Amino acid sequence: MKFKKLFNKKVKTVNIGLDSFEKDLQQQGQEVTGLDWTPPADLDEHVLQTLKENQDKIESANEKVLEIILNGKPYLIGLDIARNVIPGMKDNLLLHAGPPLTWERMSGPMKGAMIGAIIYEGKAKNFKEAEKLGSSGKFKFSPCHEHDTVGPMAGVVSASMPVFVLKNEEYGNYAYCTMNEGLGKVLRYGAYDTETIEKLKWMEKVLYPTLKKAIEFKEKIDLKNIIAQALHMGDEVHNRNRAGTSLFYREIAPAIVETCKDNKITAKVLNFINGNDHFFLNLSMPAAKVTLDAARNIENSSIVIAMTRNGTDFGLQLAGTKDSWFVGKALVPDALYFSGFTKDDANPDIGDSSITETAGLGGFAIAASPAIVQFVGGSATDAVNYTMTMYEIAYGENNIYQVPYLNFRGTPTGIDVAKVVKKGILPFIDTGVAHKDPGIGQVGAGVLSAPMQPFIKAATGLAKNLKK
Amino acid sequence: MIKSLVKKGEYFDSVSLMIVGQDVSKMEYVQDATVIMATQENKSILRTAGLYKKEFEQYNDTDLLIVVKSDFEDKFEEIFENVNNLLNKIRNKKDNQGSYRPKSLEGALQEQPDSNLALISIAGRYAGQEAMKALEKGLNVMLFSDNVSLETEIELKKYAIKNDLLMMGPDCGTAIINGVSLAFSNIVNKGHIGIVAASGTGLQEVSSIISEEGFGISQAIGTGGRDIKEEVAGMMFLKSMKILQDDEETKVIVLIAKPPHPSVVNKIDSKLKNFKKPVVTIFLGTDEKLFNSDNFIAASTLEEAALYACALSNDTEIIEVTKFLNERRDNFQKIIDQKVSEMDSQRKYIRGLFSGGTLCDEALIILRKSISNIFSNRSSSKKSTLTDPWFSKEHTLVDLGEDEFTVGRLHPMMDYELRNKRFIQEAKDLETAVILFDLVLGLGANQKPLKDLLPTLNKVKTIAPEISLICSVTGTAKDPQKRADIIQVLENNDILVMPSNASAAEIANLIINKI
């Protein structure tokens, strides 16, 4: 009898509500855990009911999804030109970050990047021409995510761009991502001037063939291993990739020296990688993507398989709802702004990089990354609390990616949309912030919670499928 | 002019916000201010307060509204900054408690896996769901929140009974489990008297008197006031009786309730027939003839119930209790004569200002024995219902803990401000002869009652020295406010402090009848 158990035992209370009740219990010397309770999402009761009734189904689907995510083996296996490898890639197709988007609704940096890509492809000579072409309907736009691809910030990929090729060796699926351009005037932040295009051309003509040869020489590079180590070295591989980049550099440098006969090029390529702390971001992202994509189309699962922003909208996809996008307005991050910029300059959240959070990295692993706590409010405790909070909406914990500070506890992995709406706790993303105007670039870095709307829609969508 | 600041997605509990709201209202340059979550209910409060703005429509439950009325346009920025500081203080207090504070029950159970009780006091609309979650995880529940629907209550209690769990509440303010006082409870001795109560302040009064008499409580289970209504059918009340019958520590049982529905009376009655432990009942205002069983002792006041229980657990004849009470009554006479002699002729009415609902009920029952017409906001008959609870009429007893007084305000046991104003209002009425009031101590209640109450009582005496101020103090020596100390100071200030709520009502009754 349970109440007997209560009568003979010490009362151990969970206090949900008034803090004073918790203090009163503490003063009586009692064990009590107080909640920092948040109200659940404003959700249709029938949806909750359906989710509850189908809990077993959802549970076993989620179990499967988590297993696939944890078993994923992301390897870098090569480099190629987008047109040759990305499924459905065409010369008049431009891929972008986030959920589907029309030209008219594109934000400044997104439009800027599109214009840059059109110029890069040689279809236009200047802004005016490119803008005309972009709005003419001659180019089609499609989310990277629908082409096994991810891209940071604007995430624009055009047919001639070189891309990393990743393979999930456990499940045989692939993912693609461009190479990171570094900081300053860069396409991903919507820059399209000559300097930007010239850098992209150098990357295509010099960096690409050199790296391609080096990777061919290495055959493949185990990215899961690098990410796991990077977490132990203070990265969360979204906003901080210094350790990941260094580890990758150690892997690739000897191979470049072996395979590149031109010393000057060798030096330039090595310096380029070494000089860009975010070089590894464009590997951590597709590593997350290739891991998560293997778990697509597991019927009834409430686990988020993609979470992404296009600078206008925030969208997500569930493992259990096929290719449906659940979309809401993208928010502006709370950020630490570079000097001379304020929140007024910031574009709403943009980029596929929140795929890292979706895979249990980035904001979910921020407790592993004390070096960037300024972005999250200043104290290491804040960072730990963010990760702790994410455990409450994660379906499981990672087997390989760990947080040293939390006694090497696995990172919270597999965002469960049911938990998000029931607990009113939103996924936490730490991210770069783009200027709202094209061509200006990064103005800060910061944090934000995902908007609730897409999660409500996703829960509703899942419930609809379950009812069928 | 009214200006507002909105913080989207920032949730604070209502008590914290009320405290902040009070502090803001007291700020320089501020005429009026409210700090609340943008729920539908709160928006209508804003409308009533004349602080509503059309733009608030777009905000909802998880958005924080800070609305300030001031004539100083250039001061708003400063005011809002101060509000922000106050809010940050609350946040940081929480954040700096060292370890992680979970946000959900599931998270809490990871931190403290062997939890066995959930104490829930969030807004009613969410509370039912949280309570069900807790029951499903095998936790006993004390649900402090009100505004939980009847259907939800029934669903929760059915589930609890099926799974052999305690489901105390909704609207359960008081319980003492294994010697641990929860929510609005007093710190009492541990002992062998078990209590089942569908009334929070009733439980507080009985358990405190027992403890002050040197006896103790084994378990005191609250059921919430609606449990004994027809719809809930006494589910938890009956279950708790059974639990206490089976509990080895419990030797004597006290049952406390406002009148149960006749169908529930029948159920209690038949349970009592075969009861193996001595039972004392105090069903305030219930006709004893409804009971067929004589296997229990019916008390007529909360105090009597407490004393009977003490006597039973001590093998004392209960006639001794009656004797004691009669003797005490005889000693009242001198006090009455003195009070009556101080009164001037036009003063003839009693005004009761209560923070405890059951205490108000009990006083009503006692006074109505000889005063035919008493108005109250707790009357069941329309004739004696106070048309406007904000204003007394002839003989009046008000419970300031009723909904009409607590919307958007802390309960009068915590915050005396509203009752203090009412004291002054009654003092200015030339027909007021007696002001009868309760003072409830213990956890949850005001922690500095004298500081908050004495100035008002003294002001009453300045305005109208003839008025008799009569009260009782519900509490114990172990309570943080220390009952004996409080009584001492009140008596030093010429307040007539009676040993119980019932005796305070009785003496008030005798005074009114004599003038």
Side-chain angles (χ1 to χ4, degrees), chain A residues 6 9 12 33 392 423, chain B residues 103-104 106 112 114 178:
Chain A
L6 176 65
K9 277 188 165 179
K12 292 193 180 178
T33 297
E392 301 205 34
K423 299 180 180 180
Chain B
K103 291 196 162 51
S104 67
E106 210 182 351
Q112 189 179 283
D114 49 353
N178 296 355

Side-chain angles (χ1 to χ4, degrees), chain A residues 1-28 30-40 42 45 48 52 381-382 384-386 388-392 397 409 419 422-423 425, chain B residues 11 13 15 62 94 97-98 100-112 114-122 126 129-130 132-133 136 139-140 144 163-166 177-184 187 219 221 239 243 246-247 443-444:
Chain A
M1 281 206 242
K2 278 162 191 154
F3 61 82
K4 273 228 162 149
K5 248 198 298 185
L6 176 65
F7 277 7
N8 298 328
K9 277 188 165 179
K10 265 194 91 116
V11 176
K12 292 193 180 178
T13 311
V14 177
N15 185 51
I16 310 173
L18 304 177
D19 285 343
S20 60
F21 290 171
E22 184 185 339
K23 272 179 222 128
D24 288 340
L25 283 164
Q26 281 164 347
Q27 265 167 16
Q28 293 178 75
Q30 299 302 313
E31 278 181 55
V32 54
T33 297
L35 292 198
D36 195 359
W37 186 81
T38 42
D42 195 2
E45 219 164 283
L48 282 177
K52 200 171 176 177
T381 319
D382 291 335
V384 171
N385 282 342
Y386 279 123
M388 290 304 291
T389 307
M390 293 306 103
Y391 282 112
E392 301 205 34
E397 295 179 11
R409 187 173 175 184
K419 290 188 178 185
K422 277 190 222 160
K423 299 180 180 180
I425 302 172
Chain B
Y11 179 80
D13 71 74
V15 174
T62 53
K94 282 188 179 173
Q97 282 170 352
Y100 172 68
R101 282 178 74 80
K103 291 196 162 51
S104 67
L105 179 64
E106 210 182 351
L109 291 177
Q110 283 208 345
E111 304 270 303
Q112 189 179 283
D114 49 353
S115 303
N116 47 23
L117 180 76
L119 174 51
I120 301 173
S121 54
I122 49 178
Y126 306 115
Q129 235 179 60
E130 265 333 286
M132 190 47 109
K133 272 193 230 165
E136 283 170 353
L139 270 67
N140 298 280
F144 178 85
N163 292 279
D164 220 353
L165 292 163
L166 277 179
I177 303 294
N178 296 355
V180 180
S181 302
L182 297 157
F184 280 68
I187 310 254
Q219 307 288 348
I221 305 171
K239 166 87 175 171
I243 290 174
D246 295 343
D247 177 43
L443 304 176

Side-chain angles (χ1 to χ4, degrees), chain A residues 15 55 81 93 134 164 171 248 307 372 382 416 426 464:
Chain A
N15 185 51
Q55 204 167 343
I81 298 300
L93 180 67
F164 288 121
Y171 297 99
F248 179 74
M307 189 166 72
I372 54 165
D382 291 335
D416 183 349
L426 287 160
K464 226 187 248 166

Side-chain angles (χ1 to χ4, degrees), chain A residues 411-422:
Chain A
T411 64
T413 303
I415 303 166
D416 183 349
V417 79
K419 290 188 178 185
V420 171
V421 294
K422 277 190 222 160

Side-chain angles (χ1 to χ4, degrees), chain A residues 163-180:
Chain A
V163 289
F164 288 121
V165 181
L166 278 77
K167 186 178 182 186
N168 185 339
E169 298 242 306
E170 187 70 19
Y171 297 99
N173 61 305
Y174 294 85
Y176 311 92
C177 186
T178 54
M179 293 182 286
N180 195 287

